[in-house]
Amino acid sequence: MSGANPTRWTAAAIAGVLLSITLVAPAAGTPPTPASGPVWDTGQLRYRWLSGSEPPTWMRSAIHAAAQDATVSTLADTPSFSYDGGGAGWIAYTGDIPTDYAVGYAVRNVPSSFGIRLRPQGYPLDWGTLRWCQFYDSPPSGCFDAELITLHEIGHVLTLGHIDESTVTDWNDTIMHAAPKTKAKTGWNAHEFGRCDAARLQLRYGAASPSERISSCLDLGTDLGLSASPGTFIDYGSNLTLSASLRIDADSPADILAGDPLSGRSVWLQRRPVGGSAWTDLVQMSSSAEAGRYFRTLNVTSPFEYRARFSASSSEGLDDATSSVIRISIDDPCVSSSDGHSINSPIC
């Protein structure tokens, strides 16, 4: 790209708020993307074309694609984006941006409205002439991907700021770089939020569901409980139901995620002989309809100690957890009846 090397290519305007500096340790490397200001309610954010600054057809397609990218890639309980001619938000194809270097610009006014501006194809800037890849049948090197830039601006609408480049260990951890790359550099056409963008959105909005994976940009403790029904002293040969509860540690620095249930994970039931030291994986526990709950029913004829074990997947930012131990005692199967015969004579 010709011309001066700018420090920024995109910009965002947010009034009257301070940068969020909530400290949540990443699993490794890049921290969660900075964010600031109030968040949107769950639901839909509808956008329209700003009258007099409607984008051309090729740009509209890229914008709609970016809206879909945002809806499916946050991993968080963020509002979805959709086009509506009467929407409170607007998107404009215009040179009316208060910088001489940015290709896109976003403003938000939570909870009522937002606006996104995208420069026109061929617009002269202080670093050169803007070229959008979607304008061409065969996009040239040095063009900007309009879908990525729109998704970046939607990130600002959702309260994300620009990443501190000194903290980034992998460019693809985020799309919230102040200077997005052009074709065909690494990350020039990323069409989903990076893992550290998703991490911050999960911290601010919560996970999309209890079974949604937690971004690997986080490193959150978990809490695993275990209970027994009908109790810890049961009749020989009766059924015992062991129930586990898996949650994000309520005391972890997890913002809105703290204490949230975790469904759809792999929770194993372990056992050992009473007084023993070595644990054996007995069976994987089944998921309950209740969020974060797992269970297994056993027919018990011998005393054992039980515990639940959760081993976190490397694909998400959770720590392993082990429950406390439950000791199950069995009633004596050889109690004599009134006629002097053993009640359970086959084993006595």
Side-chain angles (χ1 to χ4, degrees), residues 294-344:
Y294 304 79
F295 71 95
R296 198 73 187 192
T297 299
L298 308 173
N299 185 265
V300 180
T301 58
S302 300
F304 279 101
E305 292 179 329
Y306 296 88
R307 72 180 186 182
R309 174 182 62 83
F310 165 62
S311 293
S313 167
S314 60
S315 66
E316 63 177 338
L318 297 173
D319 294 338
D320 299 346
T322 303
S323 75
S324 57
V325 176
I326 290 180
R327 176 177 293 184
I328 300 299
S329 300
I330 307 297
D331 195 9
D332 185 354
C334 297
V335 176
S336 296
S337 65
S338 59
D339 62 3
H341 293 89
S342 171
I343 292 176
N344 296 297

Side-chain angles (χ1 to χ4, degrees), residues 205-247:
Y205 289 90
S209 71
S211 59
E212 181 63 78
R213 66 182 173 88
I214 301 300
S215 170
S216 61
C217 191
L218 299 172
D219 184 12
L220 304 179
T222 56
D223 179 74
L224 184 60
L226 186 67
S227 61
S229 178
T232 58
F233 189 83
I234 62 174
D235 292 335
Y236 173 87
S238 62
N239 287 337
L240 170 71
T241 298
L242 292 159
S243 300
S245 174
L246 179 63
R247 296 180 176 274

Side-chain angles (χ1 to χ4, degrees), residues 61-77:
S61 296
I63 292 169
H64 293 324
Q68 180 64 16
D69 296 339
T71 297
V72 302
S73 72
T74 66
L75 308 185
D77 193 21

Side-chain angles (χ1 to χ4, degrees), residues 84-328:
D84 181 340
W90 53 262
I91 298 180
Y93 185 73
T94 177
D96 183 20
I97 293 178
T99 75
D100 57 3
Y101 54 81
V103 300
Y105 192 81
V107 294
R108 67 178 183 268
N109 183 21
V110 180
S112 57
S113 64
F114 67 91
I116 293 175
R117 296 170 179 158
L118 301 168
R119 299 269 198 197
Q121 165 71 14
Y123 195 92
L125 293 161
D126 65 355
W127 46 264
T129 300
L130 171 61
R131 292 181 293 173
W132 291 113
C133 299
Q134 281 78 359
F135 175 80
Y136 302 93
D137 291 332
S138 298
S141 294
C143 63
F144 283 97
D145 184 85
E147 185 175 343
L148 167 61
I149 300 301
T150 303
L151 182 59
H152 174 107
E153 300 306 333
I154 289 175
H156 287 314
V157 171
L158 290 174
T159 74
L160 296 179
H162 288 141
I163 197 77
D164 177 355
E165 297 295 347
S166 68
T167 68
V168 177
T169 56
D170 184 333
W171 181 271
N172 294 316
D173 283 344
T174 175
I175 64 163
M176 300 308 295
H177 302 276
K181 291 185 177 179
T182 56
K183 186 186 177 184
K185 298 177 182 177
T186 300
W188 73 275
N189 62 345
H191 292 160
E192 61 181 19
F193 286 113
R195 68 187 188 104
C196 297
D197 306 326
R200 180 61 69 190
L201 293 171
Q202 287 188 321
L203 292 170
R204 307 208 82 207
Y205 289 90
S209 71
S211 59
E212 181 63 78
R213 66 182 173 88
I214 301 300
S215 170
S216 61
C217 191
L218 299 172
D219 184 12
L220 304 179
T222 56
D223 179 74
L224 184 60
L226 186 67
S227 61
S229 178
T232 58
F233 189 83
I234 62 174
D235 292 335
Y236 173 87
S238 62
N239 287 337
L240 170 71
T241 298
L242 292 159
S243 300
S245 174
L246 179 63
R247 296 180 176 274
I248 295 174
D249 190 346
D251 295 327
S252 67
D255 292 4
I256 198 173
L257 290 173
D260 277 4
L262 295 166
S263 298
R265 270 67 177 186
S266 179
V267 177
W268 279 81
L269 183 64
Q270 296 184 307
R271 76 177 183 184
R272 68 182 179 187
V274 174
S277 58
W279 289 95
T280 301
D281 283 344
L282 179 62
V283 66
Q284 187 170 351
M285 304 184 79
S286 301
S287 294
S288 167
E290 182 182 351
R293 303 288 296 189
Y294 304 79
F295 71 95
R296 198 73 187 192
T297 299
L298 308 173
N299 185 265
V300 180
T301 58
S302 300
F304 279 101
E305 292 179 329
Y306 296 88
R307 72 180 186 182
R309 174 182 62 83
F310 165 62
S311 293
S313 167
S314 60
S315 66
E316 63 177 338
L318 297 173
D319 294 338
D320 299 346
T322 303
S323 75
S324 57
V325 176
I326 290 180
R327 176 177 293 184
I328 300 299

